[in-house]
Amino acid sequence: MSKYRIKYKKTDAARYISHLDFIRTITRTFRRAELPVKYSQGFNPHMILTVALPISVGVISDAEYMEVELNEEISEDKIISALNQNIPLGLEITAAKKVCGEDIALNKISYAKYFVEVEHSGECDIEKLLQNETLMVDKKSKKGITLTDIKPMIAHLGFIGENNGNAEYEMILSAGNVQNLKPETVIAAFEKYGDNYKADFISVTRKEMYFEDFKSVM
C-alpha cells in the first residue's frame, strides 16, 4: 500500500463546484483512470481519500491538495497522466508525490496565499490599516457571526496595483483547523477602516498553501 499527495488546479470552469460535488467528481475520475485505489472496509466501502482545506464555492485555485491510498506503487507521472485523461473540464492535476514518513500531514496546513481582485470605490491605505492595534470585523464561523480581531490572522497583506480600475492584492492568511480567515473578511476590514471604501465585486484565487513557518506542502 502506498499513499500519494496530489496537487491540482480548480479553474474558472469549476468555480461553482461544491466540495461534495468535487468528491463525487474526483471519485469517478479515479475509477475511470483505473488506478488501484484502496477502499475502506465495511458495508459501505469508500475510497480512502483526503482533501486539504476544502475551498469555498466561487473561489478558483492554483494549489489544491489531496491524498489517496493505492494498493500498489505507481509512478507519479502515470498517476498525473491517468487522472488528467479522465478529469472533467475545470480541474487539472499538476503534481504528485509519494508520501514518506517525514512528510507533514495535510491537516497541519496553517496558511493560504491569495490573489484578490476588487472592483471598488473609495480608498484604503494598507500601511495605515495595519497600524491599528486590532482589526475588529464580523467574522462568520460554525458558531455564527462574531466580532473578531482578524489582525493576528494576517501574515502578509500587500497592494499589487490597479488593473482596469480594479485593485489587486496579495494576501497570506491563517488557514486550517486552528484559525481560518477568508479574503472577503479582510475586504470587510477595508470597508470598515478605509476612506469610504466599498467593494462591489471580489474575485479570489488561492495561489498556494503552507504549513507552519511557511513550509511548502509539496
Side-chain angles (χ1 to χ4, degrees), residues 8-119:
Y8 62 97
K9 295 173 66 174
K10 183 182 179 185
T11 66
D12 194 64
R15 180 190 291 267
Y16 296 107
I17 293 179
S18 68
H19 176 61
L20 186 58
D21 286 338
F22 170 76
I23 293 298
R24 294 190 185 112
T25 298
I26 202 65
T27 298
R28 289 196 296 268
T29 300
F30 273 105
R31 290 194 186 112
R32 290 173 183 152
E34 298 182 343
L35 292 170
V37 181
K38 184 178 179 181
Y39 282 77
S40 62
Q41 303 296 314
F43 294 105
N44 185 27
H46 57 272
M47 289 185 183
I48 301 179
L49 178 72
T50 302
V51 177
L53 202 60
I55 199 167
S56 300
V57 174
V59 178
I60 60 178
S61 178
D62 294 335
E64 297 299 291
Y65 296 92
M66 59 182 165
E67 286 184 350
V68 64
E69 293 187 21
L70 304 183
N71 285 316
E72 60 186 76
E73 188 169 332
I74 296 180
S75 74
E76 287 87 347
D77 288 342
K78 183 176 180 180
I79 292 172
I80 295 169
S81 176
L83 290 174
N84 279 333
Q85 287 174 21
N86 293 278
I87 206 165
L89 180 69
L91 298 169
E92 180 188 351
I93 308 300
T94 58
K97 62 163 284 187
K98 186 177 179 182
V99 177
C100 302
E102 64 268 18
D103 286 321
I104 305 171
L106 289 181
N107 63 7
K108 299 298 184 182
I109 286 173
S110 299
Y111 299 99
K113 180 180 179 180
Y114 300 94
F115 170 79
V116 183
E117 186 174 8
V118 185
E119 181 182 335

Side-chain angles (χ1 to χ4, degrees), residues 53 114 139-140 153 174-182:
L53 202 60
Y114 300 94
K139 183 176 180 295
K140 186 177 180 181
M153 306 179 203
S174 292
N177 297 325
V178 179
Q179 291 182 324
N180 192 14
L181 180 62
K182 293 182 178 181

